[in-house]
Amino acid sequence: MSYLFATLAGTRVAIATDEIEAVVKLTEIAPVPGMPSHVAGLSALRSRVLTIIDIAALIHGHATPTDQRRLAIIANISGHSYGLMVDGVSDINAVDGGPQPLRGQIAPEWRPYARGLVDGDAGACLLVTLSSFVEAGVWPQAA
């Protein structure tokens, strides 16, 4: 299986490439009144509307500063288009043997999202699914 290795909310993670449509530079994000703080707003990509999720706000409870909103992983989750903000991406690699079970202490804020561990070039990374960031919270669709 191939994984994208990235940094989300300051933590190194692995994401299965079959979940990812693209990684893009963010341009304008239009805020949507009444949405939780982790919904940064709406953005357009190739004539479609994306709901932009601020992973740092979801994990740590405070929004990513506007000047640091640079990249997003684009995914189709339950028929809706999302952009999940990332700190950065480092590589795509095939990993032999698949994910390993979680072991040791995991920060409580990552427990709802961590599915296992994947060994990357820089050591073990949390395996996360993009849908878990959307499905974990109960909130209305912005787009």
Side-chain angles (χ1 to χ4, degrees), residues 28-35 39-43 69 142:
E28 294 185 33
I29 301 173
V32 178
M35 288 288 110
V39 179
L42 302 176
S43 189
R69 295 176 174 185

Side-chain angles (χ1 to χ4, degrees), residues 85-100:
M85 291 171 36
V86 297
D87 305 341
V89 296
S90 59
D91 206 353
I92 295 176
N93 282 326
V95 175
D96 294 330
Q100 302 298 314

Side-chain angles (χ1 to χ4, degrees), residues 32-114:
V32 178
M35 288 288 110
S37 63
H38 64 272
V39 179
L42 302 176
S43 189
L45 176 68
R46 297 188 282 270
S47 300
R48 56 178 215 220
V49 177
L50 303 172
T51 301
I52 305 298
I53 306 299
D54 185 345
I55 302 297
L58 187 61
I59 297 294
H60 299 301
H62 55 277
T64 301
T66 304
D67 64 335
Q68 294 177 18
R69 295 176 174 185
R70 294 185 181 106
L71 293 174
I73 296 173
I74 307 305
N76 185 314
I77 300 168
S78 299
H80 298 280
S81 296
Y82 291 91
L84 294 100
M85 291 171 36
V86 297
D87 305 341
V89 296
S90 59
D91 206 353
I92 295 176
N93 282 326
V95 175
D96 294 330
Q100 302 298 314
L102 292 169
R103 53 187 185 264
Q105 290 286 341
I106 294 177
E109 61 269 19
W110 282 100
R111 285 188 193 131
Y113 314 107

